[in-house]
Structures are given as structure tokens and as C-alpha cells.
Amino acid sequence: MTEYEHISVLAREVIELLITEKKGTYVDATLGMGGHTARLLEALPQDASVLGIDWDPEMAGIAASRLERFGGRVKIAQGNFANIDEIVAREGIRSLSGALFDLGISSLHFDKPSRGFSLKHDGPLDMRINPDNPLTAYTIINQWPYEQIEHLIRVCGERHSGRITKAILAARRTRPLETTGELAALIEKVAPARGEKTHPATKTFLALRVSVNYEFDNLTRGIQKIMPLLKPGARMGIITFHSLEDRIVKETFRIMAKMGGWELVTTKPVKPSDEEVAANKRARSAKLRVIEKL
Ligand SMILES: C[S@@+](CC[C@H](N)C(=O)[O-])C[C@H]1O[C@@H](n2cnc3c(N)ncnc32)[C@H](O)[C@@H]1O
């Protein structure tokens, strides 16, 4: 057991909507602490299995010990789901009975200060899902030019992108910004909260994380690579946590359905119930979309 917990979002809905075949191999492309994988394995008979993938080796290790009780029914691979075709081939799997993407990062990432994602706990400006990734938030904040930083923050919906970027560039002229706490305090000073429920640095932190981990690119590639691997009748379910990601999924699924060979299972995204949001604040922005291969 780790000291960190992650409550799986929309778990009941995932099971209800993703399982169409009670055999074969399902893929959990964002294994995390293995919550959804455990639920899938519990819902499936003994001869069905799950391949769980996580880009973060720490997470893959945690999931491995948490899922030990399932024995050979679960295989765990460390890697980027953007390369899901190679990962699946390496595991000797030819086709998939279903696939789940639960995007973003886990509660452990948010809560563990040393990973540098946290607004609440001071830590290094890191934000890498995979610590082998050469790009960090530190590099972006201390080395990228004004135009690039301002653009990435603006794209993630921050209306004070200009003001925030100017403050970052002014601060780094004296010395580099080192920690999440320093960056959050700087943003709070130039773009103070005006009754919003979230911290004024929330969108800047999201923009940095998405850029450090090229999350939009991974998502597009992951969907494309998994399409030929799914069997007819198999479903792909994707849970997103912000509107930019949801827009990519909505648009991609719409095009797939229009091209033919795919049918939308959810025409509107499935959202968590009030009870789920009350029990898990992180679920409040979750949206699940599902598509089926014909
Ligand atoms: C929201 S968490 C998943 C939680 C999981 N469904 C559970 O129930 O415990 C997302 C996970 O996806 C992983 N991840 C993010 N981007 C990834 C990528 N491109 N390839 C593989 N894993 C990725 C993160 O490291 C994180 O552990």
C-alpha cells in the first residue's frame, strides 16, 4: 500500500459501457493505481485479461503490487500510449476487446510535492509524467521566450496570459524560478482571485503540464494507433477532465463515426452523479465518451 490514494472516476459507468465481450484482452491505457483495471477484472470472467499501461514507471510499479491478486490475468507495461501499437505487439497481443483512457494525472501526482504538479504543496518545477522526459516545467518557465509561454497559457483559457508571462520574465531576470510555490505566489500577485473557486494559477499549471507531457499530441496519436487493434464490436472509452481534451475526443469520435465503421455509443458525454462528485471532488469535471467499432 502507498500513502497516496486515487479514487477511480466513473467506474460503474466504465464497466457498464465498455464491456461488450466477456473474453479476450482489454487495455487500460492509463493504468494509474489500477482502480479501473481492478474493476474490469472483477467484472470479467477468469479467462479475460487486462493489459495496463502507464508512462510513469512509479505508477506502473504501484499498480503491479496493487493488482497482484489477479495473477496472470493482468499484464503491466510501462510506456506512452501514443505508442500503443508497439506496446501491444511487444506483449504478443493481436487484438483488443476494449480500451479505456482515463486521461491526465493521478492523485498521487497532484499530492506528491516532489513530482512538481502541485499548487498546494511546494515542490520543484518538474511536472513530468515520465521522469525520463527531457522537458520540464522549469525549462519552459526559465528558458522559453515570451511568445511561447504566453501562447500556451492563453490556449488553456487563462485570460491574464500576458500579465502572467510578463511577471515570469521579469522575475527570472533576477534569478530562475525554482518551485511550484514561487510560481503560484507570483501568479496570485499579478492575477489575484476574484471570487473564483479555483486558485488563480490553476490554468497556468494545467498549460505547463499539458505542454511538458505533449498531452494533446499523445491523445490524438493514441486514438489513431488503437483503432486498428480493436475487434469489431469492441469499444473505446475516454474520460477527460478539461474542455480542450474533451473537444479533441468529441471531434475525433465525430469524424470516425462520419467516416463509417464506427458508431457513437454516447452522443452526449456521461458525467458523474452528484453523489460521486460529493464523494470525490476530482470527478466534477469528468466526461466519458464511448465509441464502438462496427
Ligand atoms: C487519471 S490517472 C488514471 C487512474 C486510473 N484509471 C485508476 O483508476 O487508478 C491517469 C494515468 O495515466 C498516466 N498517463 C498519462 N499520460 C500517459 C500516456 N501518454 N501514456 C501512458 N500513461 C499515461 C498517468 O501517469 C496516470 O497514472
Side-chain angles (χ1 to χ4, degrees), residues 209-222:
R209 192 198 94 199
V210 162
S211 303
V212 166
N213 299 293
Y214 14 93
E215 290 184 27
F216 299 150
D217 193 37
N218 287 340
L219 174 57
T220 313
R221 282 173 54 202

Side-chain angles (χ1 to χ4, degrees), residues 7-214:
I7 307 171
S8 301
V9 169
L10 291 165
R12 183 178 48 81
E13 292 82 352
V14 164
I15 300 306
E16 278 171 14
L17 291 170
L18 202 68
I19 298 178
T20 51
E21 190 183 24
K22 295 254 174 192
K23 57 181 194 292
T25 304
Y26 282 74
V27 71
D28 180 350
T30 50
L31 180 64
M33 293 202 186
H36 283 113
T37 288
R39 294 288 291 264
L40 278 167
L41 287 165
E42 280 156 7
L44 288 164
Q46 286 297 319
D47 55 352
S49 60
V50 175
L51 168 66
I53 300 171
D54 207 290
W55 202 15
D56 180 353
E58 180 179 10
M59 209 54 83
I62 293 170
S65 63
R66 289 184 165 223
L67 297 168
E68 227 167 350
R69 68 193 150 106
F70 294 103
R73 294 182 65 209
V74 61
K75 278 190 181 173
I76 294 177
Q78 189 266 324
N80 184 342
F81 60 60
N83 307 318
I84 205 156
D85 51 343
E86 289 164 24
I87 299 170
V88 165
R90 210 162 48 226
E91 296 297 332
I93 298 164
R94 287 213 197 89
S95 61
L96 297 167
S97 301
L100 173 69
F101 296 76
D102 174 20
L103 297 174
I105 54 174
S106 134
S107 300
L108 174 139
H109 292 120
F110 279 118
D111 295 339
K112 198 173 177 185
S114 63
R115 299 302 303 263
F117 290 101
S118 181
L119 261 169
K120 282 186 280 176
H121 316 285
D122 201 17
L125 274 172
D126 191 315
M127 303 198 188
R128 286 172 298 178
I129 291 174
N130 176 4
D132 289 337
N133 188 355
L135 181 63
T136 63
Y138 179 94
T139 307
I140 296 180
I141 289 294
N142 291 298
Q143 292 174 17
W144 280 20
Y146 177 92
E147 292 70 24
Q148 267 178 283
I149 301 180
E150 192 277 329
H151 177 257
L152 72 91
I153 300 177
R154 180 161 34 87
V155 167
C156 277
E158 175 52 70
R159 61 198 163 100
H160 300 305
S161 55
R163 212 190 284 177
I164 291 171
T165 311
K166 274 187 202 137
I168 291 170
L169 265 74
R172 78 187 196 190
R173 254 176 240 129
T174 323
R175 63 172 189 82
L177 282 154
E178 302 273 355
T179 71
T180 55
E182 275 177 73
L183 180 61
L186 180 91
I187 296 171
E188 215 169 355
K189 220 182 322 164
V190 294
R194 276 199 231 109
E196 292 107 351
K197 281 192 211 130
T198 52
H199 190 284
T202 304
K203 287 186 176 144
T204 304
F205 271 54
L206 172 68
L208 286 169
R209 192 198 94 199
V210 162
S211 303
V212 166
N213 299 293
Y214 14 93

Side-chain angles (χ1 to χ4, degrees), residues 266-277:
T266 53
T267 42
K268 290 222 167 77
V270 177
K271 294 183 191 165
S273 64
D274 292 345
E275 293 76 41
E276 179 170 357
V277 175

Side-chain angles (χ1 to χ4, degrees), residues 248-266:
I248 296 175
V249 177
K250 182 180 170 186
E251 195 47 22
T252 310
F253 280 8
R254 191 187 65 78
I255 293 168
M256 285 162 71
K258 205 170 157 203
M259 275 175 358
W262 296 87
E263 187 172 67
L264 294 176
V265 176
T266 53

